[in-house]
Each structure stands twice: as structure tokens, then as C-alpha cells.
Amino acid sequence: MDYWSKLEAEYRERTPTSESIHDETSDHIPAGVASTSRRFDPYPFYIDHSDGVHLEDVDGNRYLDYDMNNGAGLCGHTHPDIADALHDQIDKGTLYTMPHELLAEAAEELKKRWNALQKVRFTNSGTEATMHAIRMARAYSGRDKVLKIEGAYHGAHDYVLVSGTPPVSKAGHPKRPRKVKDGHGVPDAVLDTVEVAPFNDLEATEEILWEHRDEIGALLVEPVMLNKSVTPPQENYLEGLRKLCDEYGVVLIFDEVKTGVKVAPGGAAELYGVEPDMVTMAKSIGGETSVGAFGGTHEIMDQISDDYAWHYGTYNGNPFVLRALVTALRDVLTEDAYDHVNRLGNRLKAGYEDVMADAGIKGQVTHVNSQGIIQFTDANITDYREFVANVDDDFHTLFWFGMVNQGIIPHPYGARQQWTISVQHTEEHIDETIEAFRNIAPRLAEAQNS
Ligand SMILES: Cc1ncc(COP(=O)(O)O)c(C=O)c1O
């Protein structure tokens, strides 16, 4: 039996209840999941409950979890401090659309972490955060076009669903990527509002900025590309973008939905020492509740106070999510917590690399503090095209199911993702993970070399 067939048979044997729930749910919900990124073959497993760093599925299998809600779980699952705060908040009310004191408290917590934030507004997701930030930047610059990076994902609204994962056959020259819509239903007209540049390429970026100098008003970048495994910025890249945006009068937006509070307390802006004009945030800022935010300079954000540019939303900044946010940022994600997750990140990287070396598996770990992944290639991946050329999704699937069948979710499904180490993981959890990897390493080596 080939390795995939063996893994699939084991998986099906462990998860029969998930399979029948998936069949039933698919009658009501497209693909049986609430976000398409959660779908995979043969079917996903369905969760019964989570606690600490574990998920338990409907068949009673327990998993040590590094998916951590697609990166929204730096605090771990249902952190006790956050749970206490939320129980208290339920007694006080979960939704009042009238303003309340948590607004300023939550904004202050974010402002302590990002110098670029002079004012912020809250949203319910990262998608809304990038959508509103783009509107503010357009209003401020008076220009409609946004320059985005090929291969980058910034949420599910039309303005950013361009060249997220374009087929290379349609994507044109790597230095001047052609704009490709991500799926049908995105209007053709959206292509007139976007330009696309390669990541880590200042020269190409400048050419595009020059060519569209009176049109591009915002540059939207995920400073470490965490939707293409872990692709860090090369030296001077972010500084270079800062300089170019100043030169061309373009609003620089760091999309820190994934990097924010995870690669450093103040996100990539702090880690790399570069100040954007605007920041978008979500995921781990919310301590497992659905909250996003966007913010920037007074001049940009006061367009909202002046009713010049609009930002509305019934659920924005509700007390339930802001209570979780304040507790997460003030009480849970302390300096010690960052030392802890960063130390564990190094331990996991070293452990995975040792096993690969011992077993003769070609690969490397790329990681930035709490975020990392094994790339089963020797290539140094610096942008989308290199990612596509060098990352073998099928092989990665063997690794993923090999780990899952042993009760470890190494990261969200797919080679484009990465693990999140939470404050509730321990050294023992890391060692358990490495042991599990050691168990499957010989079969992986065999599969890679066959
Ligand atoms: C960089 C980035 N921006 C925006 C989003 C959208 O966030 P949400 O899923 O909360 O809408 C994501 C989601 O994965 C993301 O990774």
C-alpha cells in the first residue's frame, strides 16, 4: 500500500462520525464548512470541544493543536483569564451598540504596541479591517488604486481578491505580474482598482509605482507573508517600501492580521523597526473572539470623525470582544509570555530539523518566533513564484496526515499555512510533537526519495 493510501485508511478509521457529520452538513452548508479554507479531502474532522492546547473531535480523538484557529490562538484555547473576564462580561451585557469605556481601554492597549496607531476603530474580522483601511487610504490620498503583493491574502472582500493564488500560467512575468481574479464573482471592474507587485522586489515595485504614479494611493503588504507558509521580508525590503511610499505619496498599510501581536508584541512593525501609515489587525488580538481593528495617523483616521470617509457596523467594538481583547493584551500576552513562545519556537524548529537530518528528509524550518513551518525543499523561498515552484503540496499532505493520525495538528491544513505556538504550550508538548514526527520520518523519507 502506498503511504497516502495507508494514511487515508487510518484517518477514515479514526474519524467515522466526522465523515457522517460532514455528509449531512454538506447538504446544508457548501462543502460542509463555514470557510472554504477549512475544507480538505477526504473530509475534515469535526470538533466537539477545545481546552488549553487541545482539540477533541466528535469521535473522541484528542489533538495537540498548532493550528490554533488559523493563527487566532496565541493565548491558547479558552485561556482561564479570558474565560473569567468573559463570564463576568456576560453578566454585564454582551452587546451594547451605545459607546462604553472598553473602547478607549482597548484602543490604548493596541496603541501601546504600535507607534503608527494614533487612532483606531474596531471591526469584526480581518476582512473588514483591510476593507475599511483601504477606503481610508483612498479617501486620504485621493487616488483609487491599491498596490498589493502577488500571492498575498488580505481577506474575502472583492478589492483584495486579486492574485492571491493565481495559476502561474495566467500570471505573466514574475516582475510584472498580470492581475488575476481569485474566483468568479469578483467584478472585472475591480481589476482597474488594483496593481500587483512581487514580494521582496523593490525595483519592480518602484517601476509599478512610477508607471501608475497618479493612480496608486495605497500599498497593502503583509510584512511577513504568512499566507504562503512563512516568507519573511528580505533585509531592507520593508524600509525600501517605506521610502517608496514617502516618495510617491502612497499610504503604506501593514496588514498585521496574522503577524500582529504574534511575531512580536507590536507585530512586524516592531520586529523590523518600520513604521507604516496604517495597520490592520485581527485574529490573536481578540483572545479567541472575533474582533479586528484598523488604525493610523490622526490625519487619516480623523476623516471618519469629519464624516469624510465612512466606517459603520452594528457589532463593531462590542463589549464582549473588547473585554477579551483587553484581557488578552494586558494580562495574558506579557513579556514573559513572548519569551516563552519564542523559546518554544526555537525548540520546535531544532527538533524538526534534527529529525529531518537523521532520517534524510530534504527540508528546512522557516520560522519567525511563534510562527513557523517545515518547507520540504532546500530552496530559499522569497516570493510567490518561488513558493509555487518549490513547494510540493502532495508531499506536505503526507506530513500533515501523518501527524494528525498521531494526534498532532502541526498547523492548519495545507503547505501555505504555519503553526502558532500559544502561551499554553509547554516544552513537553514540543517534545511530544518531535517524537510523533520521528515516528513518521522513515516513511516520509522513503516517499520523498521514491
Ligand atoms: C493577512 C490577512 N489579512 C486578512 C485576513 C482576513 O481575516 P478574517 O479571516 O478575520 O476576515 C487574513 C485571514 O487569514 C489574513 O491572513
Side-chain angles (χ1 to χ4, degrees), residues 163-200:
S163 296
T165 46
V168 170
S169 58
K170 291 192 181 160
H173 194 278
K175 284 196 162 280
R176 294 307 296 268
R178 207 177 284 149
K179 300 176 258 187
V180 181
K181 292 192 292 182
D182 294 322
H184 295 279
V186 176
D188 286 344
V190 160
L191 296 178
D192 297 336
T193 68
V194 181
E195 293 298 327
V196 177
F199 193 58
N200 273 327

Side-chain angles (χ1 to χ4, degrees), residues 247-290:
E247 245 169 85
Y248 287 87
V250 168
V251 176
L252 177 61
I253 309 172
F254 276 5
D255 180 356
E256 299 236 38
V257 165
K258 264 191 167 177
T259 52
V261 308
K262 283 199 301 181
V263 298
E270 175 185 328
L271 187 65
Y272 298 102
V274 176
E275 293 299 338
D277 300 303
M278 296 195 76
V279 183
T280 57
M281 297 144 279
K283 294 197 190 265
S284 277
I285 63 170
E288 282 207 323
T289 64
S290 52

Side-chain angles (χ1 to χ4, degrees), residues 70 125-127 130 153-155 222 227 255 257-258 282-283:
N70 207 351
S125 66
T127 293
T130 61
Y153 178 74
H154 298 286
E222 190 186 17
N227 286 287
D255 180 356
V257 165
K258 264 191 167 177
K283 294 197 190 265

